[in-house]
Amino acid sequence: MKTILNNKYFLLVIRILLGVVFVYAAISKASDPEGFARAIANYKLLPIFLINILAIILPWIELCAGILLIFGVSVKENSMVLGGLLVVFVIAILISLARGLNIDCGCFGTVGGTKVGIQKVLENIGLLISVIILIKFESNSFALFKQN
């Protein structure tokens, strides 16, 4: 198992897939900040004054971290940023499930309109496992530039 996890091509595929997922999610959220703000508000977890700020800032954090991950720049650091976001997303979905809310997750902005549920929790946990692999076995192969 450790041989697979240390394989530079395996790590490259994980790095690029994870980056692409977050870039796509960021673009769909940034293209409709009003819709994304409504999706955030539906969770009923944040005060109103934070919702618009988060709807504007979050997609750009995801976009920057995703692009840098694709190009292999600061892989561990960007993986930690995305991992932190994923932990928050999982907690928000679990709270919504516990409260019985039947809302769209907002995972990809207003695209798709997938409801919160166990499937979303498992998807985010799968992405979180990918993040943990990248943090532990850092993928510097085929990076834009090598870091020491």
Side-chain angles (χ1 to χ4, degrees):
M1 185 68 157
K2 196 167 186 155
T3 334
I4 294 171
L5 295 176
N6 273 327
N7 184 297
K8 66 181 180 179
Y9 299 108
F10 176 74
L11 293 171
L12 175 66
V13 168
I14 288 178
R15 190 182 85 207
I16 290 174
L17 287 176
L18 193 62
V20 167
V21 166
F22 275 94
V23 167
Y24 177 74
I27 290 171
S28 62
K29 291 172 187 172
S31 66
D32 184 12
E34 183 181 346
F36 183 47
R38 278 193 303 273
I40 295 171
N42 288 339
Y43 281 90
K44 298 178 178 146
L45 293 172
L46 296 173
I48 292 175
F49 72 91
L50 285 179
I51 292 171
N52 286 335
I53 294 169
L54 190 61
I56 292 169
I57 293 173
L58 183 65
W60 296 103
I61 293 171
E62 291 179 339
L63 183 68
C64 291
I67 288 172
L68 291 171
L69 207 57
I70 290 169
F71 289 109
V73 178
S74 300
V75 173
K76 280 188 179 186
E77 292 82 355
N78 287 299
S79 295
M80 286 184 199
V81 168
L82 296 178
L85 292 176
L86 285 167
V87 168
V88 171
F89 298 160
V90 168
I91 291 169
I93 293 169
L94 288 172
I95 290 171
S96 297
L97 286 173
R99 293 160 94 196
L101 298 178
N102 185 22
I103 58 174
D104 289 340
C105 73
C107 302
F108 294 98
T110 54
V111 177
T114 309
K115 301 284 185 194
V116 295
I118 295 299
Q119 179 182 348
K120 280 292 156 196
V121 172
L122 294 175
E123 287 173 10
N124 283 325
I125 289 173
L127 292 172
L128 193 54
I129 290 169
S130 299
V131 163
I132 292 167
I133 290 169
L134 287 178
I135 291 170
K136 183 156 175 59
F137 298 99
E138 191 172 8
S139 171
N140 288 326
S141 299
F142 308 102
L144 191 59
F145 59 89
K146 297 286 182 189
Q147 296 174 325
N148 293 333

